Amino acid sequence: MTSQNAGLISRIAALKEERKAVILVHNYQIAEVQDIADFVGDSLELSQRAAATTAEVIVFCGVHFMAETASILSPEKKVLLPDVNAGCPMADMITAAGLREMKEQFPGSSVVCYVNTTAEVKAESDICCTSANAVRVVESLNGGDIIFVPDQYLGDYVRGQTGRSMHLWPGYCPTHVKIRPEDITERRREHPGAKVVVHPECRPEVIALADETLSTGGMIRYARRTDVAELVLGTEPGIIHRLKKENPGKKFFVASEKATCPNMKLITLEKVYWALESQKPEIKVAEDIRLRARAAVDRMLEVP
Ligand code: 13P
Ligand code: SF4
């Protein structure tokens, strides 16, 4: 830790106390930001924390849809996203109007939206899901067709796991599609004893070559419980910091350094400090949209 960082970290801690704030951080954030977190987790764990916290201010170190979900769940709290430009390009691949058209095309289908969507898209959906619970969410729905938006690869994975009839929106994560099957083959050659764990946002050809397909939280738990000493991770490299910190005896390798999410890297310690100081940028959702989006998020949180 540099002395400049040490000063900034203690100023953030003091301001956090003064503002009665909590700092929630996604597993892909830069190491310095993960290290000042009250909680680090995946999308599902972070939304559960946001729903349960008694803090007055939530500083969300992640991307826009995550902060928006926190605001949907806790409208009475001030939700700050330290860089308002930290978006998710996959979430921007579908609009509420686009989803309404799809619903007209497949009437009677249940609508499942990945949490990586805007509040407007959640408001048009029956139930939300994350990569950690997508299979369970789809299994919780009674028979009939399912519209799944916007990630075609997560949707394809869930369809394979559940055997359900699913209509998929053609969205994708521009970061995870950078991982190629050749990357997995090469890493296996370099680390023959390693297990390969990939995120369900990866392309099906990549998932087919993996030992496990898990959310980022699932990867953290898998790394703790496995006896294997080496893991190759098919996901965003930010996760390696936490894996190494929690499992000093094990080795972790990324499938591809190219799969870095530029939006996740926008949040810095300075921006966290300025967000706490200025109480901006605040993420808020119009009340009519929020109530409809909340119903889809609440339904997800009720799935065991
Ligand atoms: P997780 O919910 O697995 O953390 O994934 C979030 C995400 O944006 C993956 O790209
Ligand atoms: Fe969106 Fe992909 Fe970045 Fe996750 S890694 S926030 S899905 S662009």
Side-chain angles (χ1 to χ4, degrees):
M1 191 196 304
T2 62
S3 57
Q4 195 194 353
N5 267 2
L8 195 51
I9 290 165
S10 58
R11 292 209 302 282
I12 289 171
L15 207 46
K16 192 181 79 163
E17 185 101 352
E18 203 178 299
R19 303 279 198 242
K20 298 190 175 58
V22 66
I23 302 181
L24 301 182
V25 175
H26 187 264
N27 288 320
Y28 294 159
Q29 291 287 293
I30 62 168
E32 293 84 348
V33 171
Q34 290 193 31
D35 290 344
I36 55 152
D38 290 299
F39 180 77
V40 188
D42 69 11
S43 310
L44 179 62
E45 295 161 338
L46 290 168
S47 59
Q48 287 164 334
R49 286 283 164 148
T53 183
T54 53
E56 289 175 14
V57 175
I58 299 174
V59 183
F60 212 113
C61 302
V63 290
H64 194 277
F65 75 82
M66 296 179 177
E68 203 174 55
T69 305
S71 184
I72 288 168
L73 287 163
S74 298
E76 70 292 352
K77 294 183 183 128
K78 199 181 266 285
V79 179
L80 305 171
L81 178 64
D83 189 321
V84 79
N85 296 314
C88 169
M90 170 167 29
D92 296 334
M93 287 179 190
I94 183 165
T95 60
L99 177 51
R100 280 194 292 271
E101 271 176 37
M102 197 175 181
K103 282 159 66 171
E104 275 167 30
Q105 207 183 334
F106 302 107
S109 302
S110 302
V111 181
V112 181
C113 73
Y114 193 21
V115 71
N116 300 40
T117 43
T118 59
E120 287 79 5
V121 168
K122 288 184 178 75
E124 288 291 335
S125 304
D126 296 312
I127 188 164
C128 192
C129 75
T130 75
S131 59
N133 62 13
V135 170
R136 274 178 287 134
V137 163
V138 166
E139 280 171 347
S140 77
L141 300 169
N142 296 328
D145 283 14
I146 289 164
I147 291 174
F148 189 94
V149 300
D151 187 358
Q152 60 182 306
Y153 298 132
L154 174 63
D156 180 72
Y157 172 72
V158 174
R159 177 161 58 191
Q161 296 293 305
T162 60
R164 297 292 295 268
S165 166
M166 290 170 65
H167 308 288
L168 311 179
W169 186 268
Y172 60 91
C173 163
T175 295
H176 282 84
V177 296
K178 294 207 177 86
I179 304 173
R180 304 159 309 157
E182 306 87 272
D183 296 318
I184 305 295
T185 324
E186 280 165 31
R187 295 299 88 73
R188 280 211 194 268
R189 204 173 312 126
E190 289 161 6
H191 312 289
K195 288 274 187 210
V196 175
V197 186
V198 303
H199 197 276
E201 287 174 13
C202 288
R203 291 191 268 158
E205 313 86 89
V206 169
I207 292 179
L209 295 175
D211 296 304
E212 301 283 342
T213 305
L214 297 167
S215 72
T216 62
M219 290 177 183
I220 299 285
R221 289 186 291 278
Y222 180 84
R224 272 183 213 144
R225 70 172 182 265
T226 182
D227 295 333
V228 175
E230 295 189 340
L231 291 187
V232 171
L233 286 311
T235 196
E236 215 279 344
I239 197 168
I240 300 288
H241 173 67
R242 183 168 170 205
L243 288 170
K244 282 190 174 160
K245 206 164 140 180
E246 291 186 6
N247 306 277
K250 294 178 182 167
K251 287 196 172 145
F252 301 97
F253 309 95
V254 282
S256 170
E257 288 287 350
K258 288 193 186 128
T260 299
C261 176
N263 288 283
M264 283 283 181
K265 306 304 180 205
L266 286 174
I267 314 279
T268 60
L269 286 181
E270 286 82 359
K271 289 179 193 171
V272 171
Y273 177 79
W274 285 113
L276 276 166
E277 167 74 21
S278 63
Q279 303 279 290
K280 281 199 278 253
E282 187 179 359
I283 306 299
K284 272 242 161 267
V285 180
E287 192 58 8
D288 55 331
I289 303 280
R290 189 189 74 77
L291 288 172
R292 288 164 57 218
R294 169 138 202 178
V297 178
D298 277 347
R299 253 175 242 134
M300 166 183 87
L301 294 174
E302 282 159 19
V303 171

